[in-house]
Amino acid sequence: VTELASFGYGDFTVECFVQHTGNANDETLISNRNAGGSNTMWSLHYFTTNNEPRWHTGLAEDGVSSVTTTPGTFHHIAVTRENGTHYMFIDGAHRATWTDSRNYSQILHLSVGEDDHAGVLNGFLDSVRVTYGVARYPGSSAFTAPTKAFPKR
């Protein structure tokens, strides 16, 4: 799992289903960052109480969803990087785009539901998938979000 937490300059996809139980505030979904923080780390999390998923690089908020998620409902959240451009999707709808040339090279543990910097997720995660080398949802086109568990391969 550690190797998947370090993407380098390549394409990747980080995705999961999340159901939070209230106003999410500084709650981690999936991360490889620690308390020290550097721009070679990454985190998919909620940072403010308005339930907006965000992509954090250890030192800055890069991707911020343009919509909120509803407490008590499972949502599919995905972040992909394709050729240096990141795309965030919620339930298959494109919600944010940003570019960077970061080398996500930090090799730390992969954290699910909490990390060394942000708080514990107050809710549930399902079907967490981290894919190295593939932008599963390329570009900003909407897609049909998965409705069941990922295949066992």
Side-chain angles (χ1 to χ4, degrees):
V1 173
T2 299
E3 295 162 356
L4 293 178
S6 173
F7 303 128
Y9 293 105
D11 295 349
F12 63 82
T13 303
V14 174
E15 63 186 309
C16 64
F17 287 90
V18 61
Q19 179 190 75
H20 53 91
T21 57
N23 286 332
N25 184 20
D26 204 14
E27 299 178 13
T28 299
L29 305 180
I30 310 166
S31 173
N32 87 328
R33 68 183 178 168
N34 65 15
S38 93
N39 67 1
T40 61
M41 297 181 234
W42 57 269
S43 177
L44 177 60
H45 68 280
Y46 291 104
F47 186 67
T48 63
T49 58
N50 59 0
N51 301 319
E52 290 177 340
R54 295 171 179 235
W55 182 261
H56 193 282
T57 58
L59 296 177
E61 297 282 341
D62 280 348
V64 179
S65 164
S66 59
V67 299
T68 61
T69 56
T70 305
T73 302
F74 268 100
H75 296 277
H76 179 258
I77 299 176
V79 172
T80 65
R81 178 167 72 177
E82 180 184 38
N83 299 320
T85 301
H86 295 71
Y87 304 94
M88 182 185 290
F89 300 91
I90 299 176
D91 297 328
H94 174 245
R95 299 301 182 194
T97 301
W98 66 98
T99 59
D100 74 38
S101 58
R102 283 191 178 86
N103 178 3
Y104 293 111
S105 61
Q106 190 75 33
I107 298 177
L108 297 168
H109 57 277
L110 185 65
S111 299
V112 177
E114 69 176 319
D115 69 17
D116 294 336
H117 181 73
V120 175
L121 174 66
N122 191 7
F124 306 95
L125 288 169
D126 193 14
S127 297
V128 173
R129 180 164 64 175
V130 177
T131 308
Y132 175 78
V134 177
R136 290 188 180 274
Y137 313 108
S140 59
S141 298
F143 63 91
T144 301
T147 58
K148 59 183 180 178
F150 298 124
K152 293 182 179 181
R153 317 189 232 167

